[in-house]
Amino acid sequence: MLHPPDLAPGLRRIIHIDMDAFYASVEQREDPTLRGVPVAVGGAGPRGVVAAASYEARKFGVHSAMSSVAARRKCPELVFVSPRFDVYRAVSQQIRAIYERYASLIQPLSLDEAYLDVTALWWIAARRQRLRKKLGRRSAWRPD
């Protein structure tokens, strides 16, 4: 692979993506009645744990790894949803398909987190910007 002048051979452009509140966001996307409502994905029982909290729930101090009892104390109107990992896996695969359009190498860490090697994409963008500058055109680079 050729390298741009300001990127030494062997150096890569790696980005880290971590989708915040992923499980809760998927649940809110799938069930419109949950939108705008404080949602926790996890067990609602006395020994339950919050796996993910929506942004609405976070405003009350609810966060992942919190006991469901403590979460309910902080936010009495909290709606608990049982995890549906098959759904999260399917959504994660859809998102990964998007990553594959832009990254030459993807290192998934979990359903909602990955490292992407965007060295080639970065180089294409940089070359395109240099060419536009050389031609005297002002335009932002768009991948599509």
Side-chain angles (χ1 to χ4, degrees):
M1 173 180 181
L2 297 173
H3 294 274
D6 60 339
L7 187 63
L11 292 182
R12 315 291 301 166
R13 298 282 180 175
I14 309 294
I15 61 173
H16 174 248
I17 296 178
D18 186 354
M19 293 175 275
D20 203 24
F22 179 65
Y23 302 160
S25 296
V26 170
E27 294 298 341
Q28 288 177 315
R29 183 189 80 166
E30 298 292 314
D31 182 353
T33 64
L34 296 176
R35 294 178 190 161
V37 173
V39 174
V41 175
R47 296 179 55 90
V49 176
V50 174
S54 69
Y55 291 112
E56 296 84 358
R58 290 175 182 203
K59 290 177 187 173
F60 293 91
V62 177
H63 56 81
S64 60
M66 174 181 274
S67 77
S68 59
V69 172
R72 181 86 63 204
R73 255 189 245 119
K74 288 183 175 276
C75 182
E77 59 273 9
L78 187 63
V79 176
F80 276 90
V81 178
S82 295
R84 300 183 305 149
F85 290 105
D86 56 327
V87 174
Y88 311 144
R89 195 172 298 107
V91 173
S92 181
Q93 288 170 347
Q94 293 169 351
I95 293 167
R96 194 160 302 149
I98 295 168
Y99 295 165
E100 289 170 357
R101 291 176 24 204
Y102 303 103
S104 58
L105 181 64
I106 301 165
Q107 180 63 54
L109 300 174
S110 64
L111 293 177
D112 68 337
E113 190 174 7
Y115 286 103
L116 282 63
D117 184 337
V118 295
T119 305
L121 181 67
W122 172 84
W123 187 20
I124 291 167
R127 285 184 66 195
R128 195 166 180 178
Q129 284 177 331
R130 283 193 297 270
L131 181 59
R132 286 182 188 277
K133 188 175 182 180
K134 193 179 226 181
L135 296 174
R137 294 183 184 167
R138 274 192 45 195
S139 178
W141 176 77
R142 291 179 207 111
D144 290 328

